[in-house]
Amino acid sequence: WFGNESMNELMPEPLVYLNQHEAESRGIVENDVVRVYNDRGYVKVRCHIHNGLQDGIAWMPKGWQRDQVIEGCYQELSHTKVNPMSVNYNFYDIRVQVEKGE
């Protein structure tokens, strides 16, 4: 939805969502810039606290372009392994770490 004006009114920038417990354990508060990373790459975005998520979950909706994030690119976090049953990637099944950014 990166180019859809109506969707951009609802979510004007890419965000990563953490619950309060996960955010507090990392010293993160609402709207902090955070670095989401793994051994493949990283992305810097703002964090939104959402208590509908379980501990251990970081959620970031896909659909954003590289020039819309603060730095990096969330697609670099994923892998190139294809599921042979569905010929698809697991965008929502990626292990990452989240830390307070600069």
Side-chain angles (χ1 to χ4, degrees):
W1 62 68
F2 69 93
N4 182 308
E5 287 183 34
S6 298
M7 291 303 291
N8 286 337
E9 287 180 24
L10 298 172
M11 186 183 290
E13 67 178 323
L15 302 168
V16 64
Y17 294 77
L18 298 175
N19 72 23
Q20 188 71 38
H21 177 260
E22 291 293 335
E24 285 178 356
S25 71
R26 292 165 171 78
I28 297 168
V29 297
E30 179 74 17
N31 287 321
D32 272 352
V33 173
V34 297
R35 181 175 176 254
V36 182
Y37 66 96
N38 61 21
D39 60 340
R40 295 180 203 80
Y42 76 98
V43 64
K44 282 187 179 180
V45 293
R46 292 195 187 281
C47 182
H48 178 69
I49 309 301
H50 188 300
N51 287 318
L53 298 173
Q54 297 176 359
D55 284 349
I57 301 292
W59 175 59
M60 186 173 178
K62 66 184 185 81
W64 297 96
Q65 302 301 300
R66 183 179 296 271
D67 63 347
Q68 293 176 295
V69 299
I70 296 168
E71 190 176 303
C73 183
Y74 73 91
Q75 289 95 338
E76 293 172 2
L77 301 170
S78 63
H79 50 78
T80 58
K81 293 180 182 175
V82 176
N83 181 329
M85 291 295 292
S86 64
V87 191
N88 201 352
Y89 297 97
N90 294 317
F91 292 111
Y92 291 114
D93 191 17
I94 299 168
R95 186 167 287 220
V96 297
Q97 186 55 265
V98 180
E99 66 184 11
K100 193 168 183 170
E102 298 176 0

